Amino acid sequence: MKEFSKEVYLKWYEDMTMWRRFEDKCRSLYLKQKIRGFLHLYNGQEAIPAGFTHAMDLTKDSMITAYRCHIHPMAMGVDPKRIMAELCGKATGTSGGMGGSMHIFSKEHRFYGGHGIVGGQIPLGAGIAFADQYFDRKAVNICFFGDGAARQGSLHETFNMAMNWKLPVVFVVENNQYAMGTSVKRTANHEDIYKLGLGYEMPCLAVDAMDPEKVAEAAYEAIERARRGDGPTFIEARTYRYRGHSMSDAEPYRSKEEVAIRKNDDPIELIKQRILANSWATEEELEAMDNKSRDFVEECIEFMENSPYPDVEKIYEYVYAQEDYPFLDKLEN
């Protein structure tokens, strides 16, 4: 794996601060009703995509995740301007403005969604890995899901099949402690979600996911195991989200004191302190990077504002593959 050098840490800091500002700006746009529908923010969990993409081969490995999906594609190389446009339903968005917040997608960067169905992406991740194995691409799929999705039956079916066929996939549960508003402590008689892999003799472990170094180390070992044909790994990435489940979440299930305490583990602050401790940058240089991130997010908004909405007739283009579908005739009449 690439070493954790000065350049890596500075890139992590620049990326993670930009991701945080991007999400904060999305919250503002939602309150202004420029983003409609659902909006699930990623604040606090930034160390996970930072660590994983450090360990991945971005020329061939792929990623799939749930509906909290703005930051993962950025880490894979998708243009944040196009993600912002998609969030606001603009034609320049990653899905032409017709997917929205929960359905970011980029075939070019091998980012296969954004999925709104809880746990729906788990078997899909195994399916992508099966295709990689079948065509001998030497590629690995990283399949993310939340702690709530870990209780879906599809997880067990997929784990069994993935181990049986030794598929090149890494399953990652982003355990941010709450499935919507339900604490992990209340959803099962154990809190160690990673142990679900033991029933299938799948290598499994928990990792401190507030530290991108620890995430990258666990990710690299799992990815290389999958790449050499030894099958999947199940990683429980223990993290914490600083915002509600979605913008409609009033967070009655946790106290402000709890959130404040968990902010002491902020992954961005951890990266900043390591940079300063190693004299890789000064406070002034990091502040300049912060300002650069702020300016770039404003550029994303400007790009979105100057982009058109998709034409109304586009609404039917991606729904029916059959050109002579009877329903379309009824619409014309």
Side-chain angles (χ1 to χ4, degrees):
M1 182 173 61
K2 302 184 294 289
E3 66 175 329
F4 301 122
S5 63
K6 168 185 175 180
E7 290 72 25
V8 167
Y9 262 85
L10 291 177
K11 183 178 188 306
W12 276 347
Y13 186 78
E14 183 173 10
D15 286 346
M16 291 164 69
T17 53
M18 190 277 285
W19 298 342
R20 180 74 61 84
R21 291 187 184 282
F22 186 98
E23 294 288 73
D24 286 342
K25 187 59 69 170
C26 285
R27 182 176 185 274
S28 175
L29 291 172
Y30 190 91
L31 294 173
K32 294 176 182 177
Q33 296 189 343
K34 292 195 173 184
I35 296 177
R36 302 295 187 97
F38 295 97
L39 184 70
H40 305 84
L41 303 177
Y42 202 70
N43 300 45
Q45 302 181 211
E46 295 90 351
I48 299 174
F52 263 91
T53 51
H54 179 79
M56 294 168 67
D57 182 344
L58 296 181
T59 66
K60 57 185 176 183
D61 293 340
S62 61
M63 187 181 290
I64 191 169
T65 189
Y67 42 76
R68 200 179 302 277
C69 63
H70 313 154
I71 304 306
H72 297 82
M74 292 187 207
M76 292 288 285
V78 179
D79 186 350
K81 294 180 180 179
R82 296 193 63 211
I83 294 173
M84 182 65 80
E86 185 62 38
L87 290 168
C88 295
K90 295 301 185 75
T92 54
T94 54
S95 297
M98 287 173 281
S101 171
M102 298 196 290
H103 303 287
I104 308 299
F105 191 96
S106 174
K107 181 180 178 181
E108 176 188 359
H109 292 91
R110 291 166 300 283
F111 180 76
Y112 298 120
H115 292 267
I117 296 175
V118 176
Q121 74 277 19
I122 299 174
L124 295 179
I128 295 167
F130 177 79
D132 288 335
Q133 183 187 73
Y134 185 85
F135 291 107
D136 194 27
R137 295 173 179 146
K138 302 295 186 234
V140 178
N141 176 260
I142 313 300
C143 179
F144 289 105
F145 50 93
D147 46 273
R151 310 307 179 188
Q152 292 285 351
S154 60
L155 176 140
H156 297 278
E157 296 172 341
T158 303
F159 275 20
N160 183 60
M161 191 175 293
M163 280 300 292
N164 198 32
W165 292 344
K166 296 292 184 288
L167 298 181
V169 56
V170 179
F171 298 106
V172 187
V173 55
E174 294 184 285
N175 181 5
N176 60 24
Q177 313 304 314
Y178 294 98
M180 293 186 70
T182 304
S183 169
V184 170
K185 297 176 181 179
R186 297 176 56 202
T187 61
N189 68 344
H190 66 91
E191 295 179 45
D192 296 322
I193 299 176
Y194 74 94
K195 291 181 180 178
L196 292 175
L198 295 175
Y200 306 93
E201 297 187 359
M202 184 186 297
C204 50
L205 70 154
V207 62
D208 174 6
M210 305 302 275
D211 185 339
E213 266 199 33
K214 293 178 180 177
V215 172
E217 289 168 349
Y220 182 77
E221 182 178 346
I223 290 168
E224 291 308 299
R225 178 186 295 119
R227 205 183 307 282
R228 64 176 177 260
D230 292 340
T233 300
F234 181 34
I235 296 175
E236 179 186 346
R238 292 178 173 172
T239 184
Y240 195 84
R241 57 170 165 80
Y242 298 146
R243 297 288 189 188
H245 170 75
S246 69
M247 286 295 293
S248 60
D249 180 7
E251 303 179 64
Y253 49 85
R254 64 181 182 181
S255 66
K256 292 181 179 179
E257 290 74 21
E258 177 187 316
V259 178
I261 291 171
R262 293 306 300 264
K263 284 186 176 181
N264 292 329
D265 300 324
D266 191 328
I268 295 176
E269 186 62 25
L270 178 127
I271 292 299
K272 178 179 180 179
Q273 293 307 317
R274 285 182 182 167
I275 290 172
L276 294 173
N278 285 281
S279 299
W280 287 335
T282 63
E283 287 272 11
E284 291 74 20
E285 289 169 330
L286 293 180
E287 184 177 354
M289 293 174 72
D290 289 343
N291 292 333
K292 180 181 177 182
S293 296
R294 184 184 297 107
D295 292 343
F296 179 72
V297 172
E298 292 301 323
E299 290 177 21
C300 293
I301 294 174
E302 183 179 1
F303 175 81
M304 175 274 294
E305 294 282 15
N306 293 329
S307 297
Y309 287 105
D311 295 333
V312 175
E313 56 267 23
K314 288 280 185 181
I315 195 170
Y316 300 110
E317 285 195 7
Y318 309 105
V319 180
Y320 302 104
Q322 183 181 336
E323 292 184 4
D324 59 347
Y325 193 80
F327 179 70
L328 296 182
D329 292 337
K330 293 179 181 179
L331 282 179
E332 291 171 1
N333 295 328

